[in-house]
Amino acid sequence: MPVTSAALLLHHGRGADAHVLIAHMGGPFWARKDERAWSIPKGVVEPGEDVEAAARREFAEELGVPAPDLPVRDLGPFRYTSGKVVHVLAVEVPAALVGSPDDPASPDLTTRPGTSTAQVEWPPRSGRRIDVPEVDRAVWFALPRARPLLVLGQQPVLDALVAATTP
């Protein structure tokens, strides 16, 4: 059975004019990469866990702050070529959130208390394991800029967001 993850995509604006909050993957492998090195905050849905609860938990774990307590819009499940499924929920936030003290974006999540880490082998095949942040920064991007940054399996989410928010 494929692994299912839940993701929470914050956005402000609608349709093609939307901006989205995405996170750069942490650790030495991703340090010098930009294109296809960003992701929607997400994580594994635990057995018996509600998708929205999992998405909100993972958002808080990865970004170190709780997701805004606003209604979600279900964008549906998206299957990666690996078979992994990511169920994405969108949350529309007011544009005034951007740059405010409550903005979850951060140019450096490695110093924000409460962010989660993962253990990776580095350098590869060395047997040495190090702790790295799951994500190292989170930034608001307009859709045309976000698309090439997102991992390939998440790029269709942007089309779903446009379709769901276009009047």
Side-chain angles (χ1 to χ4, degrees):
M1 184 168 184
V3 173
T4 299
S5 289
L8 202 60
L9 177 63
L10 267 56
H11 70 96
H12 66 84
R14 291 176 168 227
D17 295 326
H19 285 69
V20 293
L21 181 71
I22 58 175
H24 185 266
M25 292 183 267
F29 178 80
W30 300 103
R32 292 189 176 90
K33 295 177 175 27
D34 211 29
E35 205 164 279
R36 294 190 182 158
W38 294 72
S39 177
I40 301 164
K42 65 169 178 22
V44 174
V45 177
E46 299 297 335
E49 187 177 26
D50 174 76
V51 169
E52 182 177 347
R56 288 184 178 279
R57 174 182 49 77
E58 288 293 334
F59 184 96
E61 287 178 8
E62 290 192 355
L63 301 186
V65 295
D69 188 19
L70 295 167
V72 299
R73 180 186 302 249
D74 191 344
L75 298 180
F78 296 83
R79 184 175 297 278
Y80 289 14
T81 55
S82 67
K84 179 178 181 172
V85 175
V86 178
H87 199 114
V88 181
L89 305 173
V91 174
E92 184 173 7
V93 300
L97 174 75
V98 179
S100 79
D102 295 326
D103 189 346
S106 173
D108 183 5
L109 290 170
T110 62
T111 60
R112 183 181 276 172
T115 58
S116 58
T117 60
Q119 201 172 80
V120 298
E121 183 178 22
W122 195 260
R125 295 177 295 285
S126 67
R128 184 172 161 248
R129 305 211 45 94
I130 61 171
D131 283 326
V132 300
E134 286 192 55
V135 297
D136 56 21
R137 60 190 183 273
V139 178
W140 290 100
F141 288 108
L143 296 182
R145 180 66 185 124
R147 185 175 304 279
L149 297 176
L150 279 173
V151 294
L152 196 56
Q154 293 178 11
Q155 291 176 2
V157 173
L158 301 180
D159 298 326
L161 178 67
V162 169
T165 61
T166 299

